[in-house]
Amino acid sequence: MKERILQIVSEAKQSIASADSLDKLNDIRNLYLSKKSELMSFMSHMKELSKEEKAAFGQLINTSKNDINAALESKKEELAKKALEEKLEKEKIDITLTPRNYLRGSKHLFTTIVDEISDIFTSMGYQIVEGPEKETDHFNFELLNVPKDHPARDMQDTFFIDDNNLLRSQTSPVQARVMLSKHGVGPIKIISPGKVYRRDDDATHSHQFGQIEGLVIDKNVSLGDLLGTLELFAKKMFGEKRKIRMRSSYFPFTEPSVEVDISCFECGGKGCSLCKGTGWIEILGAGMVHPHVLEMCGFDNKVYQGFAFGIGIERTAMLKFGVDDIRRFYTNDLRFLKQFDKE
Ligand code: PHE
């Protein structure tokens, strides 16, 4: 009997080990531990045994029962754990978002040119100053030697907000603002990039465009300094071989006033369609600050002199990259803009 009991225990343990579901474990429990099971049926033989035998036999049945129970419990736990793992695996959700494909932008050609010009001048010690786009008549015209009814106003007709307020037609009012802020004490060495507005609209003129103003005020500043500065700028911007020339011109707030040309970088000066056969390309207006402007802006014109220049931003970009129409800067055509994506 004892052998049979031990055999039952080992059989039970084997089938428990190979059970692969809770249902099967239940069946095994019924088979080995229910009242009708073989193991339990041995209990009915107890009465045939002596007192000592009864105790030993009872203990054997009990430990066998406990052994099988323990095996069942641990298998049950193992299966439950496995079932949970499978469920977690099956129900796993991917909480990571699919990446969004952002279109990478690039610097607009306008900004690229402003940065390039600014770098050239800051490397020469200039500071960058900004001025307001909404200006007063006083700063945009009067402090720049253009009183009311002056004919020079015709060249720079702009958008008036009322009699005294307007959208600036040039960055030159920043000259007056900076000079006044210095209360007659130099030196000043600034550039001022920004937007300006005029009543213009064709392939090379837009009602809105960009300029970079330059202003240097100090003692003993001469036209030669202006020439040297602009020559360095031309070489850095358009190539080492560039030469510059000055032609006499007129601006109300500079005296003398000049237009500055660079030798054509397309043909090297021989004459081509870019320079219209002349070998020279006009790039900017400049001059020595008019003594009357110095005085109006609080500087003693016997002690201080200065030079100023105004560079067209789109014009510089158009020349450098052969852009045929200024309006391309503002129409946001990606086919145009992407050609200047340098990053
Ligand atoms: N403000 C002038 C223009 O817009 C350019 C300029 C600036 C000329 C500074 C001389 C000195 O035409």
Side-chain angles (χ1 to χ4, degrees):
M1 229 173 357
K2 194 177 164 194
E3 279 83 68
R4 179 60 195 144
I5 291 174
L6 293 177
Q7 205 186 348
I8 290 174
V9 173
S10 106
E11 264 176 39
K13 282 190 176 170
Q14 259 177 35
S15 43
I16 290 169
S18 58
D20 57 5
S21 73
L22 291 174
D23 282 349
K24 277 195 186 142
L25 274 190
N26 240 352
D27 293 345
I28 295 169
R29 183 189 298 276
N30 284 335
L31 185 65
Y32 290 99
L33 299 178
S34 69
K35 282 195 182 114
K36 286 179 200 140
S37 66
E38 195 183 348
L39 189 63
M40 293 303 139
S41 68
F42 285 122
M43 299 291 259
S44 52
H45 298 295
M46 291 274 265
K47 47 187 176 309
E48 299 155 18
L49 299 174
S50 71
K51 214 175 173 192
E52 295 85 62
E53 279 173 331
K54 238 186 219 168
F57 186 71
Q59 212 177 4
L60 178 66
I61 298 246
N62 254 341
T63 42
S64 304
K65 203 171 110 185
N66 288 345
D67 269 8
I68 296 174
N69 247 333
L72 279 168
E73 279 313 304
S74 85
K75 185 69 182 183
K76 196 171 144 189
E77 246 173 61
E78 187 191 313
L79 286 177
K81 204 173 143 202
K82 214 171 116 200
L84 182 66
E85 272 165 13
E86 272 167 16
K87 194 171 169 209
L88 286 178
E89 186 59 35
K90 216 165 67 199
E91 292 178 1
K92 198 155 89 180
I93 42 169
D94 183 1
I95 54 159
T96 55
L97 272 179
T98 41
R100 292 175 208 173
N101 281 328
Y102 288 111
L103 279 177
R104 192 178 56 83
S106 61
K107 262 194 210 168
H108 192 283
L109 176 57
F110 184 91
T111 316
T112 306
I113 291 289
V114 172
D115 288 351
E116 231 172 278
I117 298 176
S118 300
D119 282 353
I120 294 172
F121 283 103
T122 50
S123 77
M124 292 192 242
Y126 285 70
Q127 282 186 324
I128 299 176
V129 177
E130 286 191 354
E133 286 173 32
K134 182 187 136 264
E135 262 299 2
T136 58
D137 188 279
H138 187 61
F139 277 99
N140 195 74
F141 291 124
E142 292 190 24
L143 285 176
L144 296 170
N145 244 357
V146 189
K148 295 234 173 0
D149 302 322
H150 191 288
R153 287 199 176 212
D154 283 355
M155 294 190 296
Q156 296 201 8
D157 196 6
T158 179
F159 301 89
F160 280 79
I161 294 153
D162 55 38
D163 280 352
N164 287 315
N165 292 288
L166 45 87
L167 296 184
R168 66 179 178 187
S169 60
Q170 49 189 347
T171 42
S172 302
V174 182
Q175 288 187 34
R177 286 186 175 274
V178 174
M179 278 191 264
L180 284 169
S181 76
K182 294 283 182 178
H183 304 289
V185 185
I188 294 172
K189 204 171 174 188
I190 59 109
I191 56 164
S192 185
K195 292 190 210 106
V196 302
Y197 302 85
R198 288 194 198 169
R199 206 185 149 281
D200 276 336
D201 196 12
D202 63 34
T204 53
H205 296 89
S206 160
H207 63 277
Q208 178 203 299
F209 61 102
Q211 283 190 332
I212 296 192
E213 193 78 11
L215 175 70
V216 172
I217 304 276
D218 207 347
K219 296 164 185 168
N220 303 318
V221 176
S222 73
L223 196 66
D225 296 322
L226 173 62
L227 195 73
T229 302
L230 295 179
E231 186 165 0
L232 190 61
F233 162 69
K235 285 183 191 300
K236 288 206 176 171
M237 196 71 197
F238 295 102
E240 274 307 310
K241 294 208 178 108
R242 301 287 66 77
K243 290 198 247 14
I244 65 165
R245 74 173 185 188
M246 284 181 174
R247 281 179 293 113
S248 164
S249 183
Y250 171 75
F251 299 105
F253 40 90
T254 47
E255 182 59 37
S257 300
V258 292
E259 298 275 2
V260 177
D261 300 339
I262 55 167
S263 56
C264 181
F265 48 85
E266 192 74 19
C267 63
K270 285 191 220 89
C272 68
S273 62
L274 184 68
C275 59
K276 299 189 185 92
T278 65
W280 295 93
I281 297 172
E282 183 195 320
I283 53 163
L284 55 87
M288 299 305 289
V289 179
H290 197 292
H292 189 222
V293 172
L294 279 170
E295 192 188 291
M296 282 190 288
C297 295
F299 274 79
D300 183 344
N301 58 23
K302 303 269 178 326
V303 180
Y304 284 101
Q305 308 81 40
F307 64 74
F309 53 87
I311 305 170
I313 294 169
E314 291 88 344
R315 181 167 170 74
T316 306
M318 287 168 85
L319 286 173
K320 191 162 172 170
F321 296 107
V323 179
D324 58 348
D325 192 325
I326 192 169
R327 289 166 292 204
R328 295 202 194 282
F329 285 84
Y330 310 113
T331 45
N332 290 334
D333 185 338
L334 287 178
R335 290 168 304 179
F336 170 71
L337 297 172
K338 281 208 169 123
Q339 294 176 50
F340 305 102
D341 181 359
K342 289 202 286 186
E343 275 139 44

